[in-house]
Amino acid sequence: DAGVIQSPRHEVTEMGQEVTLRCKPISGHDYLFWYRQTMMRGLELLIYFNNNVPIDDSGMPEDRFSAKMPNASFSTLKIQPSEPRDSAVYFCASSVYWSGYTFGSGTRLTVV
Amino acid sequence: GNSVTQMEGPVTLSEEAFLTINCTYTATGYPSLFWYVQYPGEGLQLLLKATKADDKGSNKGFEATYRKETTSFHLEKGSVQVSDSAVYFCALSEETSYDKVIFGPGTSLSVIP
């Protein structure tokens, strides 16, 4: 298996623009997680899905953030409009019962 | 609420030194415990896990024992290598909410030749 695949690896955008991050989980994994990592705040859980259904989005910082999982093999995290304080590394992870998480390589987002 | 506490870094060791990274947790019931490792520029990788008291997780020379009585899961390695330089995260998943993992703040390790 190719593991959890995220795209793009790097994204540089101007403040106010829409940003879409993509994730392909491991086939057969029924949980998908979106995390944000910064030096100041560490690793933060934004939202997670079970069988494509959002279970907990309490970590989503503002209405500017939204996430979807239209099918078992694809998820997006969208920021609209983006702000400089959104600059971070965004990770997607997937798992199956008790297996522990498998993380993607992350998307490094820079908003200027 | 449930939480994970780790020793603050950064930790700097010479090659072949003994490594201990302390981890303690607060949780109700019997959580599962994990260590993850993050190499520079990469995502976190599961290093080892333990699902019940007195279990020992091990992988790549690293070990950690689930100690219920001290609510600890300390990571150890007998002889570190330069390639072990990374950030190490202790984590738990709750007994009643296994799908949600709570991560500690991470401990940065640098191993010098």
Side-chain angles (χ1 to χ4, degrees), chain A residues 9 31 33 35 37 43 45 48 55-56 58 91 97-105, chain B residues 32 34 36 38 41-46 49 89 93-95 97-101 103:
Chain A
R9 284 300 309 271
Y31 284 89
F33 306 82
Y35 282 86
Q37 186 178 41
L43 202 59
L45 175 64
Y48 76 97
I55 302 301
D56 184 350
S58 59
F91 287 104
Y97 184 76
W98 290 126
S99 70
Y101 291 6
T102 300
F103 281 78
S105 298
Chain B
S32 290
F34 307 86
Y36 284 81
Q38 184 178 28
E42 299 183 11
L44 281 71
Q45 303 175 23
L46 179 63
K49 68 178 182 181
F89 293 87
S93 65
E94 302 169 18
E95 183 180 22
S97 181
Y98 63 87
D99 47 331
K100 193 170 176 179
V101 172
F103 288 90

Side-chain angles (χ1 to χ4, degrees), chain B residues 56-68:
Chain B
K56 178 184 283 187
S58 62
N59 186 24
K60 300 181 181 179
F62 291 89
E63 294 183 339
T65 301
Y66 188 143
R67 301 289 187 197
K68 180 71 174 172

Side-chain angles (χ1 to χ4, degrees), chain B residues 2-4 25-27 31-34 91-94 100-102:
Chain B
N2 297 338
S3 65
V4 176
Y25 67 89
T26 301
S32 290
L33 302 174
F34 307 86
L92 69 84
S93 65
E94 302 169 18
K100 193 170 176 179
V101 172
I102 298 169

